[in-house]
Amino acid sequence: MKGETDVEKRQLVIIGAGPAGLTAAIYGKRAGLDVLLLEKGVPGGQINITDEIENWTGVEHTSGPELAESFRKHAAKFGTEFRDASVRKVELRNGAKIVVTEDGDIEAEAVILATGASYKKMGCPGEAEFTGRGVSYCAVCDGAFFEGETIAVLGGGNSAVEEACYLTQFAEKVYIVHRRDAFRADRVAVEKALSNPKIEPVWNSVVEAIEGGEMVEKLALRNVKTGEKKELPVAGVFVFVGTVPNDEPLKGLVAVNKSGWIETNDRMETSVEGIFAAGDVRDKFLRQVITAASDGAVAAMAAYGYISEQLHLRSTLLEPDRVVALFTSSVDEPQVRLAGAVEEWSTTSGKKIALVDGYKNARMVERLELKALPVLVELHKGTVVRRTPVSSLQEIQELC
């Protein structure tokens, strides 16, 4: 383990090499950032378990592994540094963002978490063996491959019931296998499913095994009330018992919704300044390869903007021998007008005053211990020597 003074320092650290992380790397490198991408395992994430992909715009047909490899080659072309590493957590130390790995700590100007989500598994024999060979966790991705077939959906919540309805566009017959005698989904979704002639519920049943040869051929079921066992011939099995975010590195650090998904704004910013989340790990409506890639692009450009602003602030506020700065809030109209007036006066008078948006740069406001805005601050080599609350141009002119 490196000592505190030997911590590796990077501009942008991306955790996760799925579609979101790899796209973020491409956009980050193209923006001129120093990018380090950390991944544990094969690049590409969940798409590696998808045999065929037909909904990636511009590519009529490809496999998950092929698409993943093309993502990685594209990111490598621009000089992305890849590193196989297990990330334990991301933490804040004196305002710095530290990525803690098994091989040492990395200090980052900005962090993008793109670790995706994991499907909850049934855990029955055959599930792992037939994943990608008849067992799927994504109806939108794989439903079209079961045209005219008989398939089963496992689960009883909204995802299971809604996806079963979606799958009737392709399959001749859709069984919904549920361990209870009623679905847990919303009433409207349940009514829609039960009124569909292609859907047949299999109540009070659990899957004991998924069986077949090269592909899935049948399910071994057990009735939880009677103990009766039977076989259900199917060509495919869609498991919808839920997903969970792979958010371990940020647990307890950023805000999440009640289901545990990371909350972001449309810039992929989390509740912690300089930490972004992209792809399936965040709270979002649609989890697909194309939406993950979109998230990654947005997160990288937002991170670029954030890093550029931080570098500017450092050179403007912390490095000069002496600097006078006015901190205002860009969401308060009177303060916006004050900043504009000060900028005009500074230009005409020759008085140098750095203008800082304290709303966008909350971390700097906290670091300089500024209690309220607007405030005029004088710094000597990064040390605050004076903080003066102000409310008018006249006050600032008298102080300068």
Side-chain angles (χ1 to χ4, degrees):
M1 181 70 70
K2 295 180 181 179
E4 187 71 22
T5 57
D6 299 322
V7 172
E8 179 181 2
K9 295 186 177 182
R10 308 299 291 260
Q11 283 190 320
L12 177 60
V13 174
I14 302 169
I15 305 171
L22 290 167
T23 304
I26 292 168
Y27 275 74
K29 288 299 296 182
R30 280 177 56 84
L33 294 177
D34 161 43
V35 177
L36 173 62
L37 193 151
L38 304 177
E39 174 62 294
K40 187 67 175 177
V42 180
Q46 289 284 358
I47 63 172
N48 282 298
I49 66 171
T50 303
D51 265 351
E52 299 179 85
I53 292 177
E54 295 183 327
N55 57 358
W56 178 257
T57 306
V59 179
E60 293 184 6
H61 183 275
T62 187
S63 72
E66 286 172 342
L67 193 58
E69 181 59 23
S70 71
F71 287 169
R72 192 188 192 286
K73 286 181 178 178
H74 197 168
K77 171 188 174 183
F78 292 106
T80 300
E81 180 182 340
F82 294 87
R83 185 179 301 173
D84 189 44
S86 292
V87 177
R88 293 175 176 171
K89 61 180 176 178
V90 177
E91 61 184 24
L92 300 179
R93 297 179 191 165
N94 299 319
K97 291 166 282 293
I98 307 297
V99 180
V100 180
T101 79
E102 290 182 349
D103 300 317
D105 296 349
I106 305 166
E107 181 178 339
E109 294 281 351
V111 175
I112 297 175
L113 187 75
T115 45
S118 295
Y119 298 109
K120 288 183 181 178
K121 305 296 194 296
M122 297 292 293
C124 65
E127 181 178 16
E129 294 90 327
F130 287 104
T131 295
R133 294 192 293 126
V135 172
S136 174
Y137 303 85
C138 179
V140 175
C141 307
D142 300 326
F145 301 120
F146 294 90
E147 187 76 38
E149 301 281 4
T150 296
I151 61 176
V153 168
L154 310 184
N158 277 323
S159 292
V161 174
E162 290 171 359
E163 299 296 2
C165 291
Y166 173 82
L167 288 165
T168 60
Q169 298 179 75
F170 313 104
E172 180 65 28
K173 182 79 171 181
V174 179
Y175 293 104
I176 306 180
V177 181
H178 186 39
R179 66 181 300 118
R180 297 181 177 85
D181 59 5
F183 294 129
R184 293 176 288 107
D186 296 337
R187 181 177 58 83
V188 173
V190 171
E191 289 176 353
K192 182 179 178 182
L194 294 181
S195 64
N196 191 315
K198 287 188 174 183
I199 292 178
E200 180 179 334
V202 181
W203 303 117
N204 304 312
S205 297
V206 294
V207 177
E208 293 202 322
I210 301 172
E211 301 173 349
E214 288 297 314
M215 303 291 288
V216 169
E217 296 174 1
K218 58 186 176 181
L219 299 179
L221 303 180
R222 176 176 58 84
N223 188 293
V224 296
K225 288 190 174 181
T226 66
E228 177 189 359
K229 296 185 178 183
K230 70 175 184 178
E231 292 182 348
L232 185 68
V234 293
V237 183
F238 287 81
V239 183
F240 296 113
V241 293
T243 57
V244 290
N246 299 326
D247 65 338
E248 288 78 9
L250 295 185
K251 274 195 182 299
L253 183 62
V254 300
V256 299
N257 69 8
K258 62 182 181 181
S259 299
W261 303 97
I262 295 175
E263 294 181 338
T264 69
N265 59 16
D266 59 4
R267 292 169 57 89
M268 306 301 138
E269 295 170 321
T270 69
S271 59
V272 176
E273 184 179 298
I275 297 181
F276 305 80
D280 290 1
V281 73
R282 75 182 190 92
D283 181 24
K284 57 191 299 186
F285 172 69
L286 181 64
R287 293 185 171 88
Q288 290 282 284
V289 178
I290 200 162
T291 61
S294 171
D295 285 358
V298 172
M301 296 314 297
Y304 167 75
Y306 170 78
I307 292 170
S308 299
E309 182 71 14
Q310 295 308 300
L311 293 175
H312 171 70
L313 287 175
R314 204 169 297 154
S315 63
T316 301
L317 297 178
L318 305 181
E319 295 173 358
D321 290 338
R322 178 183 179 275
V323 63
V324 175
L326 174 65
F327 282 76
T328 58
S329 171
S330 60
V331 297
D332 182 90
E333 186 58 35
Q335 294 190 44
V336 172
R337 289 196 296 269
L338 175 61
V342 170
E343 182 178 26
E344 183 178 350
W345 174 71
S346 175
T347 301
T348 57
S349 68
K351 297 285 186 179
K352 292 185 177 180
I353 299 179
L355 299 175
V356 182
D357 183 351
Y359 175 78
K360 287 177 57 179
N361 298 282
R363 185 69 64 188
M364 184 62 71
V365 169
E366 180 182 343
R367 177 175 179 174
L368 299 181
E369 298 180 352
L370 308 181
K371 304 301 183 184
L373 304 179
V375 60
L376 196 68
V377 182
E378 183 178 345
L379 300 99
H380 293 178
K381 292 184 177 180
T383 300
V384 176
V385 297
R386 181 178 61 167
R387 303 179 187 86
T388 308
V390 292
S391 59
S392 69
L393 174 61
Q394 183 178 349
E395 288 180 85
I396 294 170
Q397 291 172 330
E398 292 174 354
L399 290 168
C400 294

